[in-house]
Amino acid sequence: MQYPVRRLALAVPGLTSENRHAVMEPVWWPEAMPAPEVTAAVIVGMLVLAAVVAVVIVRVVVPSGVRVVRVVRRTWERVSPKTTFGKVFSIFTLLFLVAAAPTLVTLVDAKGAIGHVAAGTDTIAEMEGDTIEFVDSTGVPRPSPDRDGDRLLDGWERAGQTPDGVPLPGADPDRKDLYLQVLYGDGVQPLSESERAQLRDIWARMPVSNPDGSTGIALHVVDERRLDQEVRAYEPSKELIRNRYDSEHLSGAECVYYQTTFADITHPRLGGRGALGGYVSIVDGTDTTVREGRSDRVAFLTHELLHNTAGHVEGRTHTRSGWLSARYDGTEADARLSQSTADDLSDGFEVGGYEERRVCGA
């Protein structure tokens, strides 16, 4: 990940802000190197170490090594520059290469790994700790009748709305539907038409079975709202994730629509967090990099929505591969649904007891 100068988040009630020291790298600085200040400190430290090593070598010479030292000295006198400056420069160069080169290589490798994470040439995101599980999270039975298992009653889907008038455009009682509200923190760009199409295509291609014999899930982005405040965090908390899942933002669509907030997540490897078997998630909406025909934030959103709808898969929060794996590298191999996740979703969406009893009012 690159390290731009970070903005100072406004002190808005309910807003999590994270102020981090950041070093701006000049445009002339090689991308493979750490920040200039870090590199300079390493070089100075290695020069000091080289000087100490040189003193130790000169001062602590056992008698048995004198002859070796004489041979080395004669050889050195033959190959080294004749001037005192040249000799000193050669000694420091040799010691620096021996002592500092491995450290610099390690730093370059570390910076390159971080760059790969940001650029998508390696791991996009490590999402081992991206799940939120609320108390009383045991899954509860689905409402009935609900043939396709999307937790929307068949009568609602046939009518195209809930009894309270919450719209369900394109609903089908024989094919799973997922309705999504997206909130955008201040400064975050809204989903493009291309990204909406990517989302619909990803979910439609999932090997999840439906009563009508089809496969896939119909994802509907039904509501998008711009927030009047910046939403920014290093590691989003439970409160930040769920404090907008209310009637003020959903207009009565609680426990009908899923909600995600596109925020500025400053953690270098965390692409989002989601509630296991819940209705809420938060995604790094600033990462619009496109790879393999998908933007990173579309991939992160897919991952978090799967946490919402699938909950635990075989007793675990993540699968070994596929969309729900703890590491997603952006390749086609990972842009798929594992069979265990597909089986869970074919049986119906998961919702935890917390949502049913505390949020949905059951």
Side-chain angles (χ1 to χ4, degrees):
M1 170 174 277
Q2 301 301 313
Y3 294 86
V5 173
R6 301 291 187 183
R7 300 186 301 276
L8 181 63
L10 299 176
V12 179
L15 174 65
T16 297
S17 63
E18 180 74 18
N19 301 327
R20 303 173 61 203
H21 176 69
V23 178
M24 178 181 287
E25 297 175 6
V27 295
W28 49 267
W29 190 250
E31 291 185 359
M33 292 293 290
E37 293 85 350
V38 176
T39 304
V42 170
I43 292 174
V44 170
M46 291 301 100
L47 288 175
V48 171
L49 178 62
V52 172
V53 171
V55 170
V56 170
I57 292 175
V58 171
R59 298 285 182 119
V60 187
V61 178
V62 295
S64 60
V66 171
R67 286 192 298 272
V68 175
V69 171
R70 288 174 179 171
V71 172
V72 172
R73 185 174 61 186
R74 286 197 296 268
T75 303
W76 171 255
E77 289 175 349
R78 292 174 183 173
V79 300
S80 64
K82 301 304 180 183
T83 64
T84 301
F85 174 81
K87 291 181 182 295
V88 171
F89 180 79
S90 299
I91 291 173
F92 267 91
T93 299
L94 180 62
L95 291 175
F96 176 76
L97 290 176
V98 171
T103 302
L104 288 177
V105 169
T106 301
L107 286 172
V108 169
D109 287 345
K111 181 61 180 293
I114 294 173
H116 288 332
V117 169
T121 54
D122 210 337
T123 301
I124 290 180
E126 297 177 8
M127 297 187 266
E128 192 69 54
D130 74 317
T131 55
I132 294 293
E133 187 168 4
F134 298 102
V135 295
D136 191 21
S137 61
T138 303
V140 298
R142 295 197 307 272
S144 181
D146 176 23
R147 285 180 296 189
D148 55 11
D150 57 9
R151 309 195 77 86
L152 301 170
L153 290 173
D154 294 343
W156 299 359
E157 295 193 81
R158 283 192 292 268
Q161 63 179 22
T162 70
D164 295 328
V166 176
L168 300 173
D172 185 340
D174 290 318
R175 180 178 171 82
K176 292 176 179 64
D177 296 281
L178 191 157
Y179 292 89
L180 177 66
Q181 180 194 63
V182 184
L183 304 178
Y184 300 100
D186 188 37
V188 177
Q189 293 299 314
L191 285 167
S192 66
E193 288 299 328
S194 174
E195 287 177 309
R196 293 187 186 90
Q198 294 164 26
L199 274 172
R200 291 192 296 268
D201 181 63
I202 288 170
W203 286 78
R205 291 166 51 193
M206 289 182 179
V208 176
S209 60
N210 293 298
D212 63 2
S214 67
T215 58
I217 297 171
L219 187 145
H220 313 268
V221 179
V222 289
D223 186 21
E224 299 180 74
R225 302 188 184 189
R226 166 71 64 188
L227 301 173
D228 59 358
Q229 61 188 39
E230 182 185 50
V231 183
R232 188 167 184 256
Y234 185 71
E235 292 186 48
S237 64
K238 294 180 181 180
E239 292 73 22
L240 183 64
I241 294 172
R242 73 166 307 123
N243 66 1
R244 295 178 184 83
Y245 199 78
D246 52 31
S247 293
E248 177 184 351
H249 294 88
L250 286 151
S251 304
E254 299 97 305
C255 303
V256 178
Y257 292 173
Y258 290 80
Q259 181 194 81
T260 192
T261 301
F262 272 9
D264 181 3
I265 298 179
T266 58
H267 194 292
R269 296 183 302 278
L270 189 65
R273 298 190 90 177
L276 280 169
Y279 286 98
V280 290
S281 63
I282 189 167
V283 171
D284 183 10
T286 66
D287 192 347
T288 57
T289 305
V290 176
R291 67 197 83 245
E292 299 290 340
R294 296 173 295 272
S295 72
D296 284 355
R297 61 182 185 174
V298 163
F300 299 153
L301 176 54
T302 295
H303 180 98
E304 302 308 333
L305 285 175
L306 285 170
H307 279 314
N308 293 160
T309 53
H312 289 96
V313 177
E314 296 183 332
R316 298 188 299 269
T317 57
H318 291 90
T319 55
R320 293 185 178 87
S321 63
W323 280 118
L324 256 185
S325 64
R327 295 189 178 189
Y328 169 73
D329 63 9
T331 64
E332 286 296 333
D334 267 353
R336 60 182 180 82
L337 203 61
S338 68
Q339 189 58 52
S340 55
T341 311
D343 291 342
D344 270 18
L345 290 175
S346 295
D347 290 338
F349 294 171
E350 178 77 15
V351 167
Y354 182 94
E355 276 69 22
E356 285 290 325
R357 300 184 182 101
R358 305 285 185 86
V359 180
C360 306

